[in-house]
C-alpha cells in the first residue's frame, strides 16, 4: 500500500486530500453540532451537487468550459446556497430551521433537472455522489489545501467569537461580537469545505464526516476543546482507514469512510456504557 502511494499520483492526491479533509470537516463540524445545525451540511451538499451538474452540463454544451473543473461550479453554488440559507433564516425568524429543508429541497430539485437535461448520470457525476479515489486530481488537492489554510487561520483567529456564538448567541450579541459577520464567515467556510470534500466522501455522505466524529467525541470529551481534538482524531482515523479499505476492496471511499465512522461511534458508545 505504501509503495503504491509513492508510485501513483492519484493515490497521493486522494490520501493527502483525505487527510486534510479529515481535519477540517470535523473541526467545523464541532461548531455545527453544538449550534444544532447538523442538517445544514446535507442541504449545502445537495446544492453543491446542482452546481457540479451545472458545470458538467455547461462543459458538454460549451466546449470552451469543458476544461473548467466542475468542483468550482459546486463551490459557487454552495456559497450561494449558504447565503440564501442565512437570508431565509432572517425571513423566518421564529422558524429558522425551515431554511434548511427549503434549501435542501431546492438543491435536490435543481440537481435532478440539470442531471435529466444532461441525459442522466455519468461516470463523473457518479464519483461526486459517492466519492472516488481515482477521481481526485492535483487541482482538487490544491483546492483542498487552499481552503484548509483559510479554515484553520479563520478558526484560530475567531475561535473565541465562534465559541461564544455557538453556545450563547444572545450573550454574543450583547457582548459586542459582530455575530452576523462571524456567522456568515463560518457558514461560507462550511460551504467551501463541503464542496471540496465531495471528491473523497461524495455528496450523499459528506455530512456524515462533519457530524459522526463529533458525535463520538462528545460521548467522552470533558470540554469543547477536547471535543474538537477528539473529533479530528476520529475523523482522521475514519478517512485513512476508509481510503485503505476502499483501495483494497475496490469500493467507493465515501461508504467505507462513513461505515468506519459508525464503527468508531458504536465502539465509543459501548465503551462508555461499559465504563459507567
Amino acid at each position: 500500500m505504501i509503495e503504491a502511494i509513492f508510485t501513483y499520483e492519484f493515490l497521493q492526491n486522494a490520501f493527502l486530500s483525505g487527510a486534510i479533509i479529515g481535519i477540517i470537516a470535523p473541526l467545523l463540524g464541532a461548531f455545527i453540532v453544538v449550534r444544532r445545525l447538523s442538517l445544514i451540511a446535507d442541504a449545502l451538499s445537495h446544492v453543491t451537487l446542482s452546481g457540479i451538474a451545472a458545470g458538467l452540463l455547461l462543459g458538454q454544451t460549451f466546449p470552451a468550459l469543458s476544461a473548467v473543473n466542475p468542483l468550482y461550479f459546486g463551490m459557487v453554488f454552495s456559497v450561494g446556497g449558504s447565503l440564501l440559507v442565512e437570508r431565509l433564516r432572517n425571513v423566518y425568524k421564529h422558524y429558522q430551521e425551515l431554511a434548511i429543508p427549503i434549501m435542501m429541497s431546492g438543491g435536490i430539485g435543481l440537481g435532478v433537472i440539470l442531471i435529466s437535461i444532461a441525459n442522466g448520470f455519468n461516470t463523473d457525476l457518479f464519483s461526486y455522489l459517492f466519492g472516488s479515489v481515482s477521481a481526485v486530481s492535483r487541482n482538487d488537492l490544491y483546492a483542498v489545501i487552499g481552503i484548509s489554510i483559510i479554515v484553520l487561520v479563520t478558526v484560530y483567529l475567531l475561535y473565541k467569537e465562534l465559541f461564544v456564538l455557538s453556545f450563547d448567541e444572545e450573550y454574543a450579541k450583547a457582548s459586542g461580537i459582530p455575530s452576523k459577520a462571524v456567522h456568515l464567515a463560518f457558514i461560507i467556510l462550511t460551504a467551501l469545505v463541503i464542496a471540496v470534500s465531495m471528491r473523497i466522501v461524495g455528496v450523499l455522505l459528506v455530512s456524515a464526516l462533519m457530524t459522526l466524529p463529533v458525535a463520538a467525541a462528545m460521548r467522552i470529551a470533558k470540554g469543547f476543546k477536547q471535543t474538537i481534538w477528539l473529533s479530528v482524531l476520529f475523523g482522521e482515523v475514519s478517512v485513512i482507514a476508509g481510503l485503505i479499505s476502499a483501495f483494497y476492496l475496490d469500493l467507493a471511499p465515501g461508504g467505507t469512510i462513513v461505515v468506519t465512522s459508525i464503527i468508531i461511534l458504536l465502539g465509543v458508545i459501548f465503551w462508555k456504557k461499559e465504563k459507567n
Side-chain angles (χ1 to χ4, degrees):
M1 180 66 187
I2 300 298
E3 182 180 349
I5 292 177
F6 284 105
T7 303
Y8 301 106
E9 182 179 296
F10 75 91
L11 283 179
Q12 297 170 13
N13 298 336
F15 273 82
L16 288 174
S17 298
I20 296 171
I21 290 169
I23 295 173
I24 59 177
L27 172 63
L28 294 183
F31 294 97
I32 289 173
V33 170
V34 168
R35 299 193 66 179
R36 293 176 173 83
L37 292 173
S38 300
L39 288 178
I40 198 169
D42 278 315
L44 294 180
S45 66
H46 286 86
V47 174
T48 305
L49 175 64
S50 297
I52 289 173
L56 293 172
L57 179 60
L58 289 173
Q60 291 179 4
T61 308
F62 304 101
L65 294 176
S66 61
V68 180
N69 192 336
L71 184 65
Y72 298 139
F73 289 95
M75 290 182 186
V76 172
F77 272 61
S78 186
V79 171
S82 68
L83 297 177
L84 283 174
V85 166
E86 287 308 296
R87 179 59 181 168
L88 289 170
R89 278 163 57 88
N90 290 329
V91 171
Y92 295 99
K93 291 184 178 180
H94 300 293
Y95 304 96
Q96 293 186 349
E97 68 278 3
L98 273 176
I100 294 176
I102 290 173
M103 188 53 56
M104 184 183 297
S105 302
I108 294 173
L110 181 58
V112 169
I113 291 173
L114 293 172
I115 291 168
S116 64
I117 294 174
N119 298 319
F121 292 97
N122 56 40
T123 304
D124 289 334
L125 195 56
F126 187 84
S127 69
Y128 282 107
L129 284 173
F130 304 105
S132 173
V133 172
S134 61
V136 182
S137 67
R138 188 65 73 175
N139 287 334
D140 292 333
L141 174 60
Y142 292 151
V144 170
I145 292 173
I147 289 174
S148 67
I149 292 173
I150 296 173
V151 169
L152 293 174
V153 170
T154 303
V155 172
Y156 177 78
L157 295 177
L158 297 179
Y159 175 79
K160 179 181 177 181
E161 288 80 1
L162 288 170
F163 177 82
V164 175
L165 192 61
S166 297
F167 283 93
D168 194 336
E169 189 170 351
E170 294 302 321
Y171 175 77
K173 293 178 180 178
S175 61
I177 293 175
S179 56
K180 287 187 177 181
V182 172
H183 179 70
L184 186 61
F186 175 76
I187 207 70
I188 290 175
L189 287 180
T190 301
L192 292 174
V193 169
I194 289 170
V196 297
S197 300
M198 289 174 59
R199 270 302 202 189
I200 293 291
V201 189
V203 62
L204 300 179
L205 302 170
V206 64
S207 65
L209 189 57
M210 304 189 81
T211 55
L212 292 178
V214 181
M218 292 177 71
R219 294 295 302 163
I220 56 178
K222 297 180 179 179
F224 186 65
K225 283 189 176 181
Q226 194 175 60
T227 298
I228 291 177
W229 287 112
L230 287 174
S231 298
V232 170
L233 174 62
F234 293 150
E236 279 293 290
V237 172
S238 299
V239 169
I240 300 302
L243 287 175
I244 292 173
S245 301
F247 176 78
Y248 281 112
L249 301 175
D250 193 23
L251 299 172
T256 55
I257 290 171
V258 172
V259 169
T260 304
S261 297
I262 290 289
I263 292 172
I264 292 174
L265 175 60
L266 293 176
V268 168
I269 292 174
F270 179 77
W271 177 81
K272 184 71 173 180
K273 183 178 180 181
E274 289 296 313
K275 185 179 178 181
N276 292 335

